[in-house]
Amino acid sequence: MSTDEKKYRGYVGVFDSGVGGISVLREMIRELPNENFYYFGDSANAPYGEKTVEKVQELSMSIVDRMVNEGCKAIVVACNTATSAAVRLIREKYEKTMPVIGIEPALKPAAREEHHGRILVMATPVTLRLEKYHELSGRLAGEAEFIPVSCAGLADRVEKGNLDAADVTQMLEQMIGPYRGQIDGIVLGCTHYPFLKKQIHSVMGDVPLYDGGRGTARELHRQLSRHGLLNKGEEPGRVVLDSSLKTEEEMKIYRQLLDADIE
Ligand code: DGL
């Protein structure tokens, strides 16, 4: 590819199985307002969390290969599932050339804040099955009790938008409602779930929620700075939203979630 075709030269490439990584992108824009971001959601292939590990690896690598070819200076895997399944392979291939940042369920901050508490960990079936999660929860086992809840179907529902609809609350009621009043915190271990904060609170009451978005944004800041890759420009950076499902409705959901009030 000629340099002219490197249309995302100097951008930070960010990807997820779909709209979820936009929750991480929002934190990164807040942390690094002068950076240019190219966001790609693989909505045509979502959800990743119910696929085989090999399939998630193949899909993730082909997105990263393209981003690198198109000039991205760093890669953020804004998906817990793709990080668990593929970040090691992505690092093996690209870490010598550029920063590769992944996201992991926010067990550490949750255990720090809710010391010795009971913490629900909502995540996809793939994330909860893989070694990365077991290694992390095992390491922190003395600090808190973690209760994993495999939320098959939830990320896929977020993909469809209209999150105030009754079926979303019903799903949450079934998945996590039984723990109401019995836990001290909830880890949102999939980047789609921060868009459901309001709905989760309506089902679970005023329980603290933890996600890895802020930590990932800070790690990106550190890595860009360490590699001398921070954008020196003073003007606000550009944000390009892209998807493998480029319909009008889909791109509308992407834009809405970038601006949505989810705090
Ligand atoms: N957003 C992704 C995650 O953080 C996965 C959602 C999915 O595609 O299953 O795990």
Side-chain angles (χ1 to χ4, degrees):
M1 186 177 278
S2 81
T3 28
D4 293 348
E5 287 168 293
K6 292 197 179 287
K7 53 184 174 179
Y8 299 118
R9 172 185 289 283
Y11 279 65
V12 176
V14 184
F15 80 94
D16 176 51
S17 62
V19 298
I22 295 173
S23 67
V24 186
L25 177 65
R26 294 162 56 116
E27 297 289 354
M28 294 190 292
I29 295 170
R30 200 176 300 173
E31 174 77 20
L32 293 159
N34 306 113
E35 286 300 328
N36 298 323
F37 291 100
Y38 168 63
Y39 180 86
F40 181 79
D42 195 7
S43 290
N45 291 303
Y48 279 10
E50 290 148 60
K51 290 191 162 40
T52 63
V53 171
E54 293 71 23
K55 189 70 194 168
V56 177
Q57 290 173 340
E58 180 195 317
L59 292 167
S60 302
M61 196 57 98
S62 90
I63 294 167
V64 174
D65 286 343
R66 181 176 59 78
M67 285 178 163
V68 172
N69 253 325
E70 291 180 344
C72 289
K73 66 178 176 183
I75 297 294
V76 179
V77 185
C79 174
N80 293 267
T81 306
T83 300
S84 307
V87 81
R88 194 174 51 80
L89 296 178
I90 299 169
R91 289 205 170 113
E92 275 169 18
K93 191 161 176 186
Y94 289 114
E95 205 172 37
K96 286 206 182 73
T97 349
M98 64 179 64
V100 176
I101 290 115
I103 187 167
E104 66 180 22
L107 270 62
K108 268 187 245 167
R112 194 169 52 230
E113 297 291 322
E114 316 300 332
H115 207 59
H116 295 310
R118 300 186 79 208
I119 296 162
L120 219 54
V121 183
M122 300 172 66
T124 68
V126 168
T127 298
L128 292 178
R129 207 171 60 232
L130 289 182
E131 195 191 322
K132 219 171 184 350
Y133 173 76
H134 292 281
E135 194 269 320
L136 181 63
S137 60
R139 198 154 24 95
L140 297 168
E143 300 187 31
E145 180 191 350
F146 298 105
I147 306 164
V149 182
S150 177
C151 297
L154 193 57
D156 203 24
R157 178 60 192 81
V158 174
E159 282 292 306
K160 299 192 168 54
N162 191 16
L163 302 179
D164 289 320
D167 67 304
V168 175
T169 312
Q170 275 158 19
M171 261 180 126
L172 289 168
E173 183 61 51
Q174 265 176 14
M175 288 170 174
I176 56 175
Y179 297 97
R180 189 168 32 243
Q182 300 167 40
I183 49 154
D184 302 296
I186 304 178
V187 170
L188 307 179
C190 163
T191 56
H192 282 67
Y193 305 162
F195 294 116
L196 298 172
K197 281 182 183 171
K198 195 172 62 181
Q199 294 79 350
I200 292 172
H201 276 138
S202 84
V203 170
M204 300 302 280
D206 193 18
V207 61
L209 306 179
Y210 298 92
D211 69 76
R214 182 80 44 90
T216 304
R218 290 210 192 105
E219 180 59 16
L220 173 65
H221 197 155
R222 274 192 293 272
Q223 296 259 2
L224 290 180
S225 159
R226 186 178 313 147
H227 288 81
L229 288 172
L230 283 168
N231 194 351
K232 301 277 180 335
E234 302 273 299
E235 68 281 7
R238 284 185 293 273
V239 178
V240 177
L241 294 178
D242 191 12
S243 172
S244 52
L245 199 65
K246 284 190 214 347
T247 62
E248 187 68 29
E249 295 122 83
E250 193 61 27
M251 294 322 295
K252 194 167 152 212
I253 298 176
Y254 276 54
R255 285 190 297 272
Q256 278 170 351
L257 291 177
L258 187 61
D259 298 327
D261 180 11
I262 56 167
E263 300 309 320

